[in-house]
Amino acid sequence: DVALSPIPVPAVGAPVPTEDPADVISLFSDTYTDETVDTWLTAWSSATLEDVTIDGNPAKKYSTLDVAGIETTTSTIDASGMTHVHLDVWSPNHTQLGLKLVDFGADGAYGGGDDVEHQVDTVSPAQEEWISFDIPLSAFENLTTRAHLAQYILVGQPTGSAIVYIDNFYFYYEDPGTTYTTTFSVT
């Protein structure tokens, strides 16, 4: 006989975002107006996707996650005026989570010769709690253009068995503030 424990699931929804809607380009959030997403799971993905509701809040659940491709190829996203990408994540078992952003370039086509991409990985993220990732777009060092974003790729470990819930996936602008320099003369 083997005793099986149920896989934990989130009991509450993700935190409610507080960014000004005027400074946000949203892919998935019930706080903001979302842009059109062609697919939340491309044919070349290695994962399963389920739309779920957690405590009255819509979320996306990726199971058996290795790689999950999300695309906005019909209408690419111009995030050139944004400073960060935000993603709320809850997982009972992930040991690493990566986010790759792919810009198709001015031609708007994959493989057109002007594509750029970069992946940022988070190692040993917390489990069984919502984590809010606010990643500066400058951390995506090889993503030298951001005016034609078309692919957003989630990469999970343990490979093929990670379970990841996501919510509040959006880009936003954060005003860095103004720095003033003052010189004093003391006599």
Side-chain angles (χ1 to χ4, degrees):
D1 291 338
V2 175
L4 299 176
S5 298
I7 297 172
V9 297
V12 298
V16 176
T18 58
E19 275 73 45
D20 182 339
D23 295 330
V24 170
I25 299 172
S26 178
L27 297 180
F28 182 73
S29 174
D30 55 348
T31 300
Y32 305 112
T33 301
D34 295 333
E35 298 295 321
T36 300
V37 174
D38 295 313
T39 184
W40 285 95
L41 191 66
T42 60
W44 46 264
S45 296
S46 179
T48 58
L49 171 64
E50 182 181 356
D51 288 317
V52 298
T53 301
I54 303 164
D55 193 28
N57 188 28
K60 305 271 184 200
K61 177 185 177 186
Y62 291 94
S63 301
T64 63
L65 177 63
D66 179 8
V67 175
I70 302 162
E71 289 186 330
T72 57
T73 54
T74 302
S75 200
T76 60
I77 301 296
D78 182 356
S80 56
M82 302 290 120
T83 58
H84 290 76
V85 60
H86 176 94
L87 183 62
D88 288 321
V89 175
W90 192 102
S91 176
N93 70 338
H94 68 343
T95 57
Q96 180 171 322
L97 184 67
L99 175 62
K100 179 185 281 190
L101 302 179
V102 182
D103 187 295
F104 280 6
D107 68 359
Y110 177 73
D114 58 353
D115 301 1
V116 292
E117 62 184 52
H118 193 90
Q119 180 173 321
V120 172
D121 295 314
T122 302
V123 180
S124 301
Q127 296 178 355
E128 297 186 35
E129 65 182 73
W130 284 105
I131 306 167
S132 293
F133 291 105
D134 289 286
I135 308 169
L137 289 174
S138 60
F140 295 85
E141 296 171 4
N142 296 326
L143 193 69
T144 54
T145 59
R146 299 191 297 258
H148 302 14
L149 291 175
Q151 289 180 338
Y152 320 85
I153 303 167
L154 300 174
V155 181
Q157 290 185 10
T159 301
S161 63
I163 298 169
V164 176
Y165 296 81
I166 69 164
D167 197 358
N168 301 316
F169 188 3
Y170 58 85
F171 296 91
Y172 69 96
Y173 173 77
E174 181 177 78
D175 188 348
T178 305
T179 304
Y180 297 97
T181 303
T182 305
T183 304
F184 292 96
S185 294
V186 179
T187 55

